Amino acid sequence: MTGPDRPARPSSLDPDIAARLKRSADGLVPAIAQQYDTGEVLMLGWMDDEALHRTLTTGRCTYWSRSRQEYWVKGDTSGHVQHVKSVALDCDADTLLVQVDQVGAACHTGDRTCFDSGLLPLRQ
């Protein structure tokens, strides 16, 4: 499925996998990157069918940049590569869990993870 303003980009993703995915209106699926051996949650990116295909076939995480409207391979410019260990689809088929071996920082700020800027207070 794609949004009314965005035609589908061609993809080589296995049709059986593509048929299982539940995408957002703009044709994307959130992809959570997790360090495979520690369970540390590193970042959230977005994948369309082709980004998922590239991730599954190259062993490197490829995401769709919503702001730049282009594919980006994690680490191509920074050297902070994500080596894919496994990819899982959640029970609703609308979120991916990509277990990776992260080299260097996962966050564009240079931090190891995008989720270390402070906990929000809980009110009980």
Side-chain angles (χ1 to χ4, degrees), residues 3-110:
D5 300 333
R6 189 173 155 248
R9 286 178 294 281
S11 175
S12 300
L13 184 63
D14 179 320
D16 291 335
I17 296 172
R20 294 176 62 193
L21 295 176
K22 292 183 184 169
R23 300 162 194 81
S24 65
D26 54 359
L28 300 173
V29 177
I32 301 164
Q34 179 184 43
Q35 179 63 34
Y36 83 100
D37 54 353
T38 65
E40 179 181 30
V41 177
L42 300 170
M43 60 172 280
L44 172 76
W46 295 91
M47 293 185 182
D48 66 359
D49 289 20
E50 182 59 18
L52 178 56
H53 166 72
R54 293 178 188 187
T55 298
L56 292 169
T57 58
T58 66
R60 297 265 314 275
C61 281
T62 300
Y63 298 99
W64 176 255
S65 171
R66 296 179 299 167
S67 59
R68 295 187 312 268
Q69 294 290 294
E70 65 184 14
Y71 295 104
W72 58 281
V73 179
K74 184 69 175 169
D76 269 1
T77 56
S78 67
H80 299 166
V81 177
Q82 291 177 340
H83 297 285
V84 178
K85 297 294 188 176
S86 68
V87 180
L89 189 58
D90 80 336
C91 60
D92 294 322
D94 63 0
T95 304
L96 297 165
L97 177 62
V98 185
Q99 291 196 319
V100 301
D101 189 9
Q102 177 71 48
V103 175
C107 189
H108 70 279
T109 64

